[in-house]
């Protein structure tokens, strides 16, 4: 059974930084793309970033490009999202997700999410 | 920038069939967009129903089906049940590693 457990959320001031983690189990972590998807309070889902299984390819939404960095550590089966220069509009629940297919990187299996609040 | 469009809200009577759609502000959706469909109830994480247009995710009842209808991706619920009342989101692949979610459809079963 695929299990994804996010951590690292919390309250941070505008302009600050935060690092989210997602511990994965139940599948061959290094084979599948991983993504971060966020949901602002009362709003819809927003794709944030994806990293390929090898970690060699990364992709970002325009809204976070240059501020967020996605990475993965296959020795620890863990996905990361380094968030810098945080803004109020980054306030959201952040979900990590693995792809279901090897070659199609859409979010497939989801974690329960971690809340990030950017406020002074 | 291309926007992914969904009906903001849809109502269905129990036992009836309902189709939710996922389109583009410009152009037609095809299987090359790898449409996925997700169900989300308040306070819960999304759950994948359909991936790559029409493949049902493990454990999803067969009353949920995906297809391309005309120029849109479609999610059809055949025989809607009360616990199908949820928010439904589609996501489309825009190329260059970019995915875009639709704004979501709030389905009411009454």
């Amino acid at each position: 059974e695929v299990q994804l457990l996010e951590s690292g959320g919390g309250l941070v001031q505008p302009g600050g930084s935060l690092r989210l983690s997602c511990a994965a189990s139940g599948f061959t972590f290094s084979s599948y793309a991983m993504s971060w998807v966020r949901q602002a309070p009362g709003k819809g889902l927003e794709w944030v970033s994806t990293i390929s299984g090898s970690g060699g390819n990364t992709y970002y939404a325009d809204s976070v490009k240059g501020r967020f960095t996605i990475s993965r550590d296959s020795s620890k089966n863990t996905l990361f999202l380094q968030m810098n220069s945080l803004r109020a509009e980054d306030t959201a629940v952040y979900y990590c997700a693995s792809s279901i297919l090897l070659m199609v990187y859409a979010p497939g299996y989801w974690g329960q999410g971690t809340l990030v609040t950017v406020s002074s | 920038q291309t926007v992914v469009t969904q009906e903001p809200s849809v109502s269905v009577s129990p036992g009836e069939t309902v189709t939710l759609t996922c389109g583009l502000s410009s152009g037609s959706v095809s299987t090359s967009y790898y449409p996925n469909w997700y169900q989300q109830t308040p306070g819960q994480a999304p759950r994948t129903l359909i991936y790559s247009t029409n493949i049902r995710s493990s454990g999803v009842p067969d009353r949920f089906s995906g297809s391309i209808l005309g120029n849109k991706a479609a999610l059809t619920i055949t025989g809607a049940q009360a616990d199908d009342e949820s928010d439904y989101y589609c996501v489309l692949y825009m190329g260059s590693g970019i995915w875009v979610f639709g704004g979501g459809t709030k389905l009411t079963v009454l």
Side-chain angles (χ1 to χ4, degrees):
Chain A
E1 180 190 5
V2 173
Q3 293 194 344
L4 301 168
L5 183 62
E6 303 93 336
S7 61
L11 175 64
V12 61
Q13 293 188 337
S17 298
L18 209 57
R19 189 194 199 201
L20 305 184
S21 300
C22 172
S25 62
F27 64 106
T28 306
F29 181 73
S30 60
S31 294
Y32 291 87
M34 298 292 296
S35 298
W36 289 98
V37 176
R38 68 185 180 183
Q39 187 169 36
K43 302 297 184 181
L45 300 173
E46 180 187 12
W47 173 79
V48 172
S49 182
T50 295
I51 185 168
S52 61
S54 67
N57 294 293
T58 57
Y59 311 96
Y60 299 93
D62 286 344
S63 57
V64 306
K65 197 175 297 182
R67 300 188 299 123
F68 289 12
T69 301
I70 191 170
S71 62
R72 62 193 299 160
D73 183 342
S74 290
S75 69
K76 297 181 180 178
N77 285 2
T78 302
L79 174 72
F80 302 101
L81 186 67
Q82 177 67 44
M83 304 186 295
N84 299 330
S85 304
L86 283 161
R87 307 165 180 167
E89 54 265 36
D90 296 318
T91 294
V93 174
Y94 285 73
Y95 297 100
C96 99
S98 66
S99 63
I100 294 178
L101 300 175
L102 287 174
M103 300 306 295
V104 179
Y105 293 177
Y109 299 106
W110 298 73
Q112 285 304 302
T114 187
L115 176 62
V116 172
T117 303
V118 184
S119 174
S120 54
Chain B
Q1 183 175 348
T2 302
V3 174
V4 177
T5 62
Q6 295 185 249
E7 299 87 359
S9 64
V10 172
S11 296
V12 63
S13 298
E16 296 298 307
T17 295
V18 63
T19 297
L20 311 183
T21 67
C22 177
L24 292 168
S25 57
S26 176
S28 299
V29 177
S30 67
T31 56
S32 299
Y33 285 84
Y34 301 100
N36 282 234
W37 290 92
Y38 307 96
Q39 178 190 51
Q40 187 182 36
T41 53
Q44 299 297 312
R47 167 199 185 196
T48 300
L49 296 176
I50 301 290
Y51 58 97
S52 290
T53 305
N54 57 11
I55 304 174
R56 204 175 296 114
S57 190
S58 177
V60 173
D62 61 7
R63 67 176 183 274
F64 293 91
S65 61
S67 64
I68 301 292
L69 286 181
N71 62 349
K72 297 181 179 182
L75 174 70
T76 300
I77 307 173
T78 304
Q81 299 182 2
D83 61 2
D84 295 335
E85 188 161 292
S86 301
D87 294 325
Y88 292 84
Y89 295 92
C90 68
V91 74
L92 299 177
Y93 181 60
M94 297 301 182
S96 302
I98 306 300
W99 295 86
V100 178
F101 280 91
T105 296
K106 182 178 184 61
L107 180 67
T108 301
V109 181
L110 47 66

